Amino acid sequence: MQSAESKWMAMFLLLFVAVTMETGGAMPPDKLFCIKPWSPCHLKVIRCPKECPYTKPKLPQAKACYLDCYSPKCEAVCQGHKPCHHPGSGCHDPRFIGADGAVFYFHGRKDEHFNLVSDPNLQINARFIGLRPAGRTRDFTWIQALGFTYGSHSFTVEAARVKQWDSNVDHLKFSYDGKPLLVPEGHLSDWKSLDKELTLERTGTRNSIRVTLGGIAEAMLNVVPITKEDDEIHNYRIPSNDSFAHFEVQFRFIGLSPQVEGVLGRTYRPDYENTAKRGVLMPVVGGEDKYKTSSLLSADCKLCLVSPKEGDEIELHILR
């Protein structure tokens, strides 16, 4: 016959298992809300879905819970860490997806800089790397670095050049206001500027980062090499002394002006008309002369608009 103590222990274990199965783990799901009064979700407490119960999951490959304070739906959704498939992305050679969901290519030129987004309070430039095999009329190019200018600050992130790719080595390099910046390796390791405007959060142990400019923009970045398979498929003819490490990037913008410019930014204009040829395998758009800048942080392209100033932020608070 079981003792009273054994019966109570068995009941406790059964109750613990039931609660764990119901909540998906020992911790309850996160709850989110937006505090700014102009947000459609103002002070509405939103529960994260069961499919992604946490805003910062412990497993790097797990999807995170996310709430867009500007969205009229006011619902938390699951967000993965893989770019390239949604509006606002720039990947591969480089293949962009505009705000209208249309795919287009902008090749630019190797070892030069081009403006991706230019607005009165935000400038994002990209440095392209590439090569031109014999017999080709244009460069193959990829995004190797990004430069952000906002308010009175600047931030850069680069994919370091490496001969042989090693996924166990971190290839991200950062600078803030012209000085080198270190973000410790490790999933969910982060760094915040003193004014809290810039947040960097690793979304993997290494080579993946989320850049957040409060109330302005967000960028999810992965550093990847040109693989042997990609080289064979596209006939890049990658040399043996360079893996051409580059970025896959997914942008999200908040409150861009109707006059926004840039290779990607112009697709967010309400009067934007896609000039790429439809129905072709690689719809290419031009604009190299309009969006070329002299450096990663300069705003001297013909259509650049940036005139930095400090602005308000929409804040996202997390409850346990």
Side-chain angles (χ1 to χ4, degrees), residues 154-166:
S154 64
F155 166 72
T156 67
V157 55
E158 303 179 32
R161 179 178 177 179
V162 58
K163 292 183 179 180
Q164 299 296 325
W165 177 260
D166 184 352

Side-chain angles (χ1 to χ4, degrees), residues 34 38-42 44 46 66-77 252-253 314:
C34 303
W38 57 80
S39 170
C41 310
H42 178 54
K44 293 182 180 179
I46 311 297
Y66 173 77
L67 173 64
D68 182 356
C69 287
Y70 276 91
S71 172
K73 293 183 179 180
C74 293
E75 63 180 9
V77 298
R252 185 178 70 88
F253 302 106
I314 276 189

Side-chain angles (χ1 to χ4, degrees), residues 59-120:
L59 297 177
Q61 67 272 22
K63 290 187 176 182
C65 176
Y66 173 77
L67 173 64
D68 182 356
C69 287
Y70 276 91
S71 172
K73 293 183 179 180
C74 293
E75 63 180 9
V77 298
C78 296
Q79 185 180 64
H81 302 305
K82 295 293 184 181
C84 304
H85 304 295
H86 305 285
S89 64
C91 303
H92 313 307
D93 176 22
R95 169 186 179 272
F96 291 94
I97 303 180
D100 58 353
V103 173
F104 67 93
Y105 289 79
F106 176 85
H107 297 303
R109 286 184 287 271
K110 66 178 182 178
D111 303 324
E112 294 189 357
H113 303 86
F114 296 92
N115 173 251
L116 299 187
V117 178
S118 188
D119 212 34

Side-chain angles (χ1 to χ4, degrees), residues 122-187:
L122 175 67
Q123 176 92 359
I124 303 177
N125 294 344
R127 179 190 300 134
F128 285 20
I129 56 171
L131 76 168
R132 182 183 297 190
R136 290 195 58 84
T137 58
R138 67 165 182 84
D139 298 330
F140 286 118
T141 53
W142 299 272
I143 297 173
Q144 180 267 337
L146 293 174
F148 298 76
T149 303
Y150 63 99
S152 59
H153 300 291
S154 64
F155 166 72
T156 67
V157 55
E158 303 179 32
R161 179 178 177 179
V162 58
K163 292 183 179 180
Q164 299 296 325
W165 177 260
D166 184 352
S167 60
N168 293 316
V169 176
D170 187 56
H171 302 289
L172 285 165
K173 294 174 61 176
F174 310 96
S175 77
Y176 178 67
D177 287 347
K179 298 180 180 179
L181 171 65
L182 176 64
V183 182
E185 291 184 29
H187 178 53

Side-chain angles (χ1 to χ4, degrees), residues 114-125 149 253 256-266 268-269 290-291 293 298-308:
F114 296 92
N115 173 251
L116 299 187
V117 178
S118 188
D119 212 34
N121 65 342
L122 175 67
Q123 176 92 359
I124 303 177
N125 294 344
T149 303
F253 302 106
L256 293 174
S257 75
Q259 292 78 38
V260 61
E261 273 292 352
V263 173
L264 180 62
R266 58 185 167 182
Y268 288 80
R269 296 171 62 115
K290 300 176 182 177
Y291 299 117
T293 64
S298 62
D300 54 2
C301 73
K302 293 180 179 179
L303 297 181
C304 286
L305 302 173
V306 70
S307 138

